[in-house]
Amino acid sequence: MSSEDQYGGTGQTRTRLPDSPADPYGPTRRAPRTSRSLITVVGVVVLLIAAIAFANQGPDTPTSPQTDNAPSTTSTAPTGTTPVTGKNGTLPKGFAHDEQGAQSAAANYAVVLGSDGMFKKNSRNAIVDGIYTSEAGQQLKGPLDQAYSAAFLSQMGLDANGNAPQGSIFVSRTIPVGTKVENYSPTAAKVSVWYMGLIGMSGPQSTDPVRTVWKTWTFSLAWTGNDWKAVSDDQTDGPAPVPGDLRASTSDDISKAIKDFGGFTYAR
């Protein structure tokens, strides 16, 4: 299906999944639209979707002689500053005080804000406290509580506490594809994160199968407390590639993959 739907409270483009007669998932349906105000509020935190580039860093120099101008075996290895080692609870912290550190912060914040933790009040408050400046976080909590109302959670197939029905798995992940520094100074930075999101319910009775979305999430960051913190953020649709030709997997396959493949905790 293709239409503007809610992805963590923001407008998203839903990709139509081919019907599979062997899959009890059933055909996809269009989720109810929410108000423009809700879309604006939760635009600060589009859920779902969220996960990462690579944390491991490596040199880009060959370890053995190369012939015939063949590329080095490490030519595509990630490079740059060693990833942070500290965490604020489950959130990475201690980002480098440079452009790459700002990109790392933005990518990781997109991952966390796109996680299923945003659908539960306690974990949502902890995420907001860990990612935003104190002033921005306090201003966001009230509007976010209103945005993640029982009615909205019900539209996503969740109960009032953000829990999925028994036998089903709610999926919300953000996978950064790349980052771009819009502007930078030692005290403030603006970084855009191009990402793919996964959102939906996996289960035999689900009428809202897991789907993909493509968006760009732009963060305004401030260097405060020896770390990069978000002051505000904004999202736009795309760029979105042409959908592939693979047949959509069954709900059982998706559920197994979600359980077997854990999300990353550090991006870039």
Side-chain angles (χ1 to χ4, degrees):
M1 72 183 68
S2 61
S3 62
E4 285 277 317
D5 290 308
Q6 279 303 106
Y7 176 55
T10 63
Q12 65 148 44
T13 299
R14 175 176 293 179
T15 303
R16 180 174 181 79
L17 304 176
D19 299 338
S20 174
D23 185 10
Y25 234 175
T28 57
R29 65 170 174 80
R30 175 177 299 178
R33 291 176 180 267
T34 55
S35 67
R36 175 65 62 179
S37 60
L38 175 60
I39 293 176
T40 300
V41 170
V42 187
V44 174
V45 58
V46 73
L47 267 65
L48 322 145
I49 253 329
I52 329 190
F54 296 96
N56 297 327
Q57 308 298 321
D60 194 23
T61 56
T63 56
S64 60
Q66 302 296 312
T67 60
D68 298 329
N69 296 320
S72 164
T73 55
T74 59
S75 63
T76 57
T79 59
T81 305
T82 301
V84 297
T85 57
K87 284 189 176 182
N88 177 12
T90 59
L91 304 178
K93 68 175 183 178
F95 298 102
H97 193 186
D98 54 23
E99 288 192 15
Q100 182 178 305
Q103 292 178 72
S104 295
N108 279 277
Y109 292 167
V111 170
V112 178
L113 289 172
S115 71
D116 55 8
M118 289 297 296
F119 291 88
K120 297 182 178 181
K121 183 172 182 176
N122 289 341
S123 56
R124 180 171 65 250
N125 286 340
I127 289 171
V128 171
D129 287 337
I131 286 178
Y132 292 91
T133 62
S134 297
E135 182 179 0
Q138 289 303 314
Q139 293 177 349
L140 278 174
K141 287 181 180 178
L144 286 177
D145 286 344
Q146 295 178 15
Y148 289 94
S149 64
F152 171 71
L153 295 176
S154 178
Q155 292 174 10
M156 303 301 295
L158 304 170
D159 65 18
N161 295 315
N163 298 310
Q166 185 173 4
S168 296
I169 299 176
F170 178 64
V171 182
S172 177
R173 290 188 186 181
T174 297
I175 304 94
V177 176
T179 56
K180 179 178 68 171
V181 177
E182 304 291 350
N183 53 64
Y184 175 84
S185 76
T187 58
K190 186 174 183 179
V191 180
S192 293
V193 182
W194 180 33
Y195 75 90
M196 181 188 76
L198 300 177
I199 178 68
M201 189 77 70
S202 179
Q205 304 303 318
S206 174
T207 57
D208 194 19
V210 179
R211 60 203 180 273
T212 59
V213 298
W214 289 88
K215 288 180 176 290
T216 298
W217 207 336
T218 301
F219 290 86
S220 292
L221 305 170
W223 182 255
T224 178
N226 293 318
D227 213 348
W228 290 108
K229 296 292 184 180
V231 176
S232 62
D233 52 278
D234 176 65
Q235 293 193 69
T236 57
D237 292 337
V242 176
D245 295 329
L246 294 177
R247 176 181 293 276
S249 298
T250 66
S251 60
D252 286 343
D253 289 339
I254 293 295
S255 295
K256 186 176 186 302
I258 293 299
K259 292 178 180 178
D260 292 347
F261 294 88
F264 293 101
T265 58
Y266 187 82
R268 190 163 174 54

